[in-house]
Amino acid sequence: MLYQKKNQLTSWLYDYSGSSCLPDSLLMSHSFSLAALDSVLSAFRSICGEDSVSLGEAVREQHGKDESVHRCCPPDVVLFPHCVEEVSALAKVCHNHRLPIIPFGTGTGLEGGVGAVEGGVCFSLRNMDQVLDLHQEDFDVTVEPGVTRKALNAYLRDTGLWFPVDPGADASLCGMAATSASGTNAVRYGTMRENVLNLEVVLADGTIIHTAGKGRRPRKTSAGYNLTNLIVGSEGTLGIITKTTLRLYGIPEAMVSAVCSFPSVQAAVDSTVQILQAGVPIARIEFLDDVMIDACNRFSSLSYPVTPTLFLEFHGSERSLEEQVNTTEDITQSNGGSDFQWARDTETRNRLWKARHDAWYAALALRPGCKAYATDVCVPLSRLPQIIVETKEDLIENRLTGPIAGHVGDGNFHCLMVVDPSDPEEQHRVHLFTERLARRALAMDGTCTGEHGVGLGKRALLREEMGHMAIQVMQSLKDALDPKNLMNPGKILQPREL
Amino acid sequence: MGSSTSLVPKSVTAAINAHGFGYFGCPHTFGQVGYRLKRTEQYIRVKPDNSSVVTDGVKHSMNPFCEIAVEEAVKLKEKKLIKEVVAVSCGPQQVQETIRTALAMGADRGIHVEVTGKDYETLGPLQVSKIMAALAKKEEAQLVILGKQAIDDDCNQTGQMTAALLDWPQGTFASELSLEGDKIKVVREIDGGLETIKINTPAVVTADLRLNTPRYATLPNIMKAKKKKIANVKPADLGVDITSRLEVLRVDEPPQRQAGMKVETVDDLVGKLKEAGMV
């Protein structure tokens, strides 16, 4: 296998040039004979059709990378199955020939989860794009992996229902389940963990299971082991998700957005805590630090005061909105917050929130020609001021560009690290910084990844976070479901010491 | 709008085309920025006899430009510039669902012009505009707003024909609409940029993409909409003859994309292009 097994934590930042670790053909990497290779490919073709098996370089490269900074690790072949029966049959072939299987949704992940680090077969699920079984009165819907969250919400618009988990990208919903995605709305609507009712999963050997029983969709259950939430967040290492049943919500009658500036990080976070304690069912509460606001002002030609700022959004009926906004304004003002700038209709709300939506691009624009990487830690709310303050000191001390944006309602924040791809010394400093940040979060009873997942880059940190015994349990589960280690190898768990 | 001498538009009729546009599962049909284009095969298939497309089992929704039209009408009512919004659609029983969506967005009542079977398959802009003209007169509408075109047939004719039949002024491809006294100011999207015109009421306006962002129907509003009235009318009751003067001869899918060819040098490329008669 031509891919060198470097220390995963350090390797990713050193390959900004995007040079692919193009694994050679199946011949070399998996000790295949020509005949065996031929028979595998023709087995694939007979299952899903000639057009659905691709060896093309461009197609493989497209399926070997996501939106993270990890370099492209193309698979050896990409398959495009059309239904779960095909997925199962194809998985059986891979299982018989010990070929790694990497499920692929939209490639919008942020932790290198789709890289085929040991080569193998990518299952691109985009052809399975049906919205099945919508039950309006029960507030649930079942979708296939090719359905993205924006596509689902467009489908649902006439029904008055929506799926609120919003990670930013227009990601595949099954992919969001696989990575336990979250987003700006989590403070009110929860993350994928709270909103997946059932999954259809194909295991490494082709077995098809329904984690809550076939077709079942009760709003709650206490039946047996929680297989659904075992698979949610497993990042393709335990099986291929081919259907997900999701919890839907009513589209809010009205929405109000507001922006409020604060004299300090502490004041902003104190307000957040008090808003939640007051029982305001706030829908979004986003924090931008002064560096971020400054970047946004420049990028979007705005003129927000350059201090820590909260972007707020309220959902509800007209009357409840009035109450929510009033309560919140009282709290923010008592913490030294400025007057609200707020908006009611869609166009003005969008303009108000434009700063937050364009944060990524605004950060990039601070240093043209550079690339950006988003860190992602989450701590208990009460520790948030301390960690943000310490992190900002760290950034300044190490001369790094890292504007901060975060879902403070969850204690989750991202440093958008802007790095020069041609400067290995800076990259090294960024790498050390992100390790310190993750460890700082762990020291504060938090987690090394609030939303993005473990993927390739945080496996060692996961070990530290969970502790040896919990990791052992995870490894045992992995061994039970995928003894040959074919499902997305190299992610979440480190290779065992042999 | 308070002046006693100005004409307060009494009712706005929004014509919704529920004209069977297939839902491709393909967000680009809504024409909004930020949606991903669906990359793989379409759902829409041509019937084996090449007579038309298969519509069974295809999800139908309100034409996006019609949504924008309804939204604009509702906005005018919320600004108290008009008194009543009436949503109209022509077709079989199923279009009632689409009318209900308009009611959930804020229209006051609906009119379902019943057209079924073969008649519905051959229903085109000319017949619809005759129906709209008859209804506009009957309802004494001051403003008729339609989507600029339907995304299944892309005709872009109904609004213009309706205005002609009524002999009313028309403001098509509207990206901005404002009422000024008894006139309407319309900013139109044209090839060269934007054109601003002032037209008298009563008038016909067709909505373009940037006129507004249609609201989502919320559950409470969908519930309320169930109580709003939808009147049932037949084209004959309006004195309209809906026989079509057009006959569709054939419908074909676009040709399958052929595999490309790689060449080594520019001379080869030019040679191949010449062979294919392209240069």
Side-chain angles (χ1 to χ4, degrees), chain A residues 146-209:
Chain A
V147 179
T148 65
R149 68 169 183 94
K150 287 187 185 173
L152 177 62
N153 282 331
Y155 183 96
L156 292 172
R157 47 179 309 147
D158 297 336
T159 60
L161 299 171
W162 72 316
F163 185 67
V165 180
D166 173 7
D170 188 18
S172 147
L173 291 157
C174 291
M176 284 165 63
T179 52
S180 187
S182 162
T184 47
N185 277 330
V187 63
R188 171 145 169 180
Y189 297 101
T191 69
M192 290 305 281
R193 283 191 187 185
E194 290 80 50
N195 290 304
V196 175
L197 295 171
N198 198 349
L199 293 169
E200 177 185 81
V201 181
V202 176
L203 300 176
D205 62 358
T207 313
I208 303 175
I209 62 161

Side-chain angles (χ1 to χ4, degrees), chain A residues 126-127 129-130 155 160 252, chain B residues 34 38-40 43 59 217-218:
Chain A
R126 69 184 195 196
N127 280 345
D129 56 7
Q130 297 292 316
Y155 183 96
Chain B
K38 183 175 182 325
R39 289 177 287 167
T40 55
Y43 289 89
K59 183 182 197 283
T218 64

Side-chain angles (χ1 to χ4, degrees), chain A residues 12 109-111 167 179-183 191 235 356 360 373-379 384 387 391 403-408 410-417 433-435 437-442 446-455 458 461 465:
Chain A
W12 58 266
L110 293 168
E111 288 293 336
T179 52
S180 187
S182 162
T191 69
E235 300 182 41
R356 173 65 186 91
W360 179 263
Y373 163 68
T375 67
D376 168 44
V377 298
C378 189
V379 295
L384 200 57
I387 195 174
T391 304
I404 294 178
H407 321 304
V408 287
D410 309 313
N412 177 211
F413 72 95
H414 307 290
C415 289
L416 306 181
M417 308 303 304
F433 165 82
T434 57
E435 283 204 319
L437 174 59
R439 296 208 164 96
R440 202 175 291 132
L442 292 178
T447 170
C448 66
T449 171
E451 309 184 298
H452 298 170
V454 173
K458 292 187 176 175
L461 289 165
E465 180 171 329

Side-chain angles (χ1 to χ4, degrees), chain B residues 90-94 112-123 234-235 242:
Chain B
C90 310
Q93 193 60 18
Q94 293 91 299
H112 171 203
V113 181
E114 224 181 292
V115 180
T116 53
K118 230 20 267 41
D119 287 334
Y120 182 59
E121 280 171 39
T122 57
L123 190 69
K234 292 200 173 42
I242 54 167

Side-chain angles (χ1 to χ4, degrees), chain B residues 52-266:
Chain B
S52 66
V53 296
V54 175
T55 51
D56 286 337
V58 176
K59 183 182 197 283
H60 286 62
S61 299
M62 192 188 301
N63 183 42
F65 295 108
C66 299
E67 278 181 354
I68 296 173
V70 173
E71 173 67 24
E72 195 61 22
V74 171
K75 273 194 157 90
L76 287 173
K77 189 176 130 188
E78 285 172 346
K79 290 186 198 155
K80 302 208 196 314
L81 295 171
I82 54 160
K83 272 183 31 194
E84 192 191 29
V85 178
V86 182
V88 177
S89 192
C90 310
Q93 193 60 18
Q94 293 91 299
V95 307
Q96 294 221 0
E97 279 166 36
T98 317
I99 300 179
R100 290 258 168 242
T101 305
L103 295 173
M105 284 170 74
D108 297 294
R109 57 186 169 90
I111 299 179
H112 171 203
V113 181
E114 224 181 292
V115 180
T116 53
K118 230 20 267 41
D119 287 334
Y120 182 59
E121 280 171 39
T122 57
L123 190 69
L126 184 55
Q127 298 101 306
V128 174
S129 36
K130 286 181 184 169
I131 294 171
M132 288 304 301
L135 275 173
K137 283 203 204 118
K138 182 159 171 263
E139 297 282 334
E140 293 179 349
Q142 295 296 308
L143 180 57
V144 175
I145 307 184
L146 304 90
K148 69 170 180 180
Q149 68 198 56
I151 66 175
D152 56 0
D153 56 24
D154 280 336
C155 285
N156 195 332
Q157 295 166 3
T158 310
Q160 292 87 332
M161 286 181 177
T162 308
L165 288 166
L166 289 165
D167 199 25
W168 286 6
Q170 54 183 267
T172 53
F173 306 103
S175 68
E176 249 181 75
L177 182 64
S178 48
L179 303 186
E180 298 184 355
D182 58 351
K183 298 207 197 300
I184 304 181
K185 188 169 95 166
V186 181
V187 177
R188 311 178 54 231
E189 296 195 7
I190 60 175
D191 284 347
L194 297 172
E195 180 193 51
T196 308
I197 59 173
K198 235 184 217 173
I199 52 179
N200 294 326
T201 51
V204 173
V205 169
T206 71
D208 208 327
L209 190 60
R210 279 155 280 272
L211 183 57
N212 59 49
T213 311
R215 65 196 65 189
Y216 281 68
T218 64
L219 271 179
N221 287 340
I222 292 177
M223 305 271 79
K224 285 187 214 153
K226 292 196 175 148
K227 301 202 183 94
K228 295 184 184 175
K229 290 205 177 350
I230 300 182
N232 233 298
V233 169
K234 292 200 173 42
D237 302 337
L238 300 167
V240 173
D241 171 19
I242 54 167
T243 34
S244 177
R245 292 184 175 118
L246 299 174
E247 187 194 334
V248 172
L249 297 176
R250 251 189 101 83
V251 176
D252 286 299
E253 283 180 13
Q256 282 277 8
R257 192 186 161 140
Q258 298 300 317
M261 209 188 321
K262 275 192 182 171
V263 291
E264 295 301 310
T265 69
V266 174

Side-chain angles (χ1 to χ4, degrees), chain B residues 4-36:
Chain B
S4 55
T5 54
S6 62
L7 204 62
V8 179
K10 204 175 56 146
S11 84
V12 173
T13 307
I16 316 167
N17 195 331
H19 220 230
F21 109 67
Y23 175 76
F24 298 80
C26 183
H28 82 246
T29 58
F30 288 84
Q32 289 173 13
V33 174
Y35 274 58
R36 262 172 34 112

Side-chain angles (χ1 to χ4, degrees), chain A residues 226-469:
Chain A
N226 191 347
L227 295 180
T228 305
N229 274 10
L230 171 63
I231 304 291
V232 171
S234 60
E235 300 182 41
T237 57
L238 297 178
I240 306 166
I241 299 177
T242 51
K243 280 192 190 70
T244 169
T245 306
L246 300 165
R247 200 189 290 279
L248 299 173
Y249 295 77
I251 294 175
E253 215 176 296
M255 298 191 201
V256 166
S257 301
V259 182
C260 186
S261 317
F262 291 85
S264 65
V265 175
Q266 185 78 45
V269 180
D270 284 345
S271 302
T272 307
V273 175
Q274 287 161 22
I275 290 168
L276 293 170
Q277 286 174 333
V280 175
I282 194 153
R284 284 191 230 252
I285 181 160
E286 295 285 292
F287 169 84
L288 271 63
D289 78 341
D290 52 324
V291 179
M292 188 77 253
I293 284 283
D294 186 44
C296 293
N297 279 346
R298 291 194 221 184
F299 183 75
S300 310
S301 306
L302 302 165
S303 50
Y304 288 119
V306 181
T307 60
T309 307
L310 285 183
F311 283 71
L312 308 145
E313 191 170 285
F314 306 89
H315 294 175
S317 68
E318 297 286 355
R319 273 191 287 176
S320 91
L321 281 183
E322 215 185 299
E323 196 189 323
Q324 288 180 48
V325 173
N326 286 341
T327 309
T328 306
E329 208 166 3
D330 283 341
I331 291 172
T332 56
Q333 285 183 342
S334 75
N335 281 300
S338 72
D339 288 336
F340 268 18
Q341 269 191 66
W342 59 279
R344 173 80 176 73
D345 61 280
T346 318
E347 284 95 352
T348 324
R349 273 192 293 113
N350 288 342
R351 250 185 292 130
L352 210 57
W353 267 70
K354 189 168 164 44
R356 173 65 186 91
H357 285 136
D358 291 341
W360 179 263
Y361 304 105
L364 278 172
L366 281 175
R367 295 175 59 194
C370 289
K371 300 212 172 169
Y373 163 68
T375 67
D376 168 44
V377 298
C378 189
V379 295
L381 276 175
S382 59
R383 312 302 300 270
L384 200 57
Q386 185 189 356
I387 195 174
I388 291 183
V389 165
E390 284 180 19
T391 304
K392 283 170 78 69
E393 282 166 8
D394 192 343
L395 286 166
I396 295 170
E397 206 179 297
N398 289 286
R399 296 164 290 119
L400 293 168
T401 317
I404 294 178
H407 321 304
V408 287
D410 309 313
N412 177 211
F413 72 95
H414 307 290
C415 289
L416 306 181
M417 308 303 304
V418 186
V419 191
D420 181 353
S422 60
D423 182 351
E425 195 272 327
E426 184 180 24
Q427 286 170 33
H428 187 61
R429 273 185 288 130
V430 167
H431 172 66
L432 294 177
F433 165 82
T434 57
E435 283 204 319
R436 281 195 300 274
L437 174 59
R439 296 208 164 96
R440 202 175 291 132
L442 292 178
M444 295 190 189
D445 306 336
T447 170
C448 66
T449 171
E451 309 184 298
H452 298 170
V454 173
L456 272 177
K458 292 187 176 175
R459 293 176 300 166
L461 289 165
L462 179 70
R463 236 200 147 75
E464 285 177 42
E465 180 171 329
M466 292 293 160
H468 180 65
M469 295 318 299

